[in-house]
């Protein structure tokens, strides 16, 4: 039986991702219980597991209500204290989702928060607030070096891997990518495609890692065009790839 993946919109721009096989589903980062409870009620599906990538409230706020309706395992990062997480996971762990039956690998992607994890299986990745389309998470707790390492790990996954991030930030990411690389035609092409998708009310997530390698400046810190832009921001050549990344991350915060 095939696993189906689809998103439930939450808050202004969050996605709560659902993995469904048969009548069973697992949900990723339910910041709000209401959309999940509505979905369960209207579909007749059974919630079998909850996956959490990091501790922020817009990813965890629905845990208590969901777990009180149906006692299910709640997987979450061992490196963060999150109420309701009863299956702490760490880098390299493999978990099998009850009902849904899928085995997922846990990848440490600390940076946005200090214990942030992602869940991977060949073909798809749930990365929370680590990688966005043409962007990446803000540095709340970790260092630029940590986030850079996390993004490098994601970039090394097979290019066809579909990334299910937790926010619809793509249009904003493309504006930033265009500022970093004004002559990158892949960014311009993606901008037109995303504008059409958003005008039609369609999500721009998931997206393939291959698209990010061509358009996401945070994954392109070794490209001459990106290095040159970082040098202009610094007023001198950047020392190394990490400094390029750090310049971009700081710029993005005030962009
Ligand atoms: Zn977050």
């Amino acid at each position: 039986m095939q696993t189906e993946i689809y998103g439930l919109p939450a808050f202004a721009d969050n996605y709560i991702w659902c993995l469904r096989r048969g009548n069973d589903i697992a949900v990723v980062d339910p910041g709000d219980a209401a959309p999940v409870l509505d979905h369960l009620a209207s579909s007749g599906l059974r919630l079998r597991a909850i996956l959490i990538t990091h501790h922020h409230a817009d990813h965890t706020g629905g845990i208590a209500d969901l777990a009180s309706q149906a006692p299910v395992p709640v997987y979450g990062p061992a490196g963060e204290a999150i109420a309701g997480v009863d299956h702490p996971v760490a880098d390299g762990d493999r978990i099998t989702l009850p009902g849904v039956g899928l085995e997922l690998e846990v990848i440490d992607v600390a940076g946005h928060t200090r214990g942030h994890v992602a869940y991977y299986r060949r073909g798809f990745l749930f990365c929370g607030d680590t990688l966005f389309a043409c962007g990446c998470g803000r540095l709340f707790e970790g260092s630029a070096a940590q986030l850079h390492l996390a993004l490098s790990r994601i970039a090394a996954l097979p290019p066809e891997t579909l990334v299910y991030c937790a926010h619809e930030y793509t249009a904003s990411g493309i504006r930033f990518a265009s500022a970093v690389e004004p002559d990158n035609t892949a960014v311009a092409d993606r901008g037109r495609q995303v504008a059409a998708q958003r005008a039609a009310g369609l999500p721009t997530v998931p997206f393939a890692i291959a698209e990010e390698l061509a358009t996401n400046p945070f994954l392109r810190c070794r490209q001459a065009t990106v290095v040159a832009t970082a040098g202009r921001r610094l007023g001198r050549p950047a020392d190394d790839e990490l400094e390029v990344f750090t310049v971009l991350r700081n710029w993005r915060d005030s962009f």
Side-chain angles (χ1 to χ4, degrees), residues 211-249:
E211 282 184 273
E212 296 311 302
L213 295 174
T215 60
N216 187 330
F218 294 100
L219 300 191
R220 295 171 55 78
C221 293
R222 274 181 291 203
Q223 297 294 320
T225 46
V226 179
V227 172
T229 296
R232 280 195 295 279
R233 303 276 313 172
L234 281 167
R236 59 165 174 80
D239 289 339
D240 54 22
E241 188 180 339
L242 176 58
E243 188 170 36
V244 173
F245 176 79
T246 305
V247 166
L248 295 185
R249 189 53 266 175

Side-chain angles (χ1 to χ4, degrees), residues 83-98:
V85 168
D86 53 11
H87 286 61
V89 295
D91 190 56
D93 286 355
R94 289 173 183 277
I95 59 176
T96 301
L97 298 178

Side-chain angles (χ1 to χ4, degrees), residues 200-211:
L202 297 172
T204 64
V205 187
F207 46 85
I209 284 175
E211 282 184 273

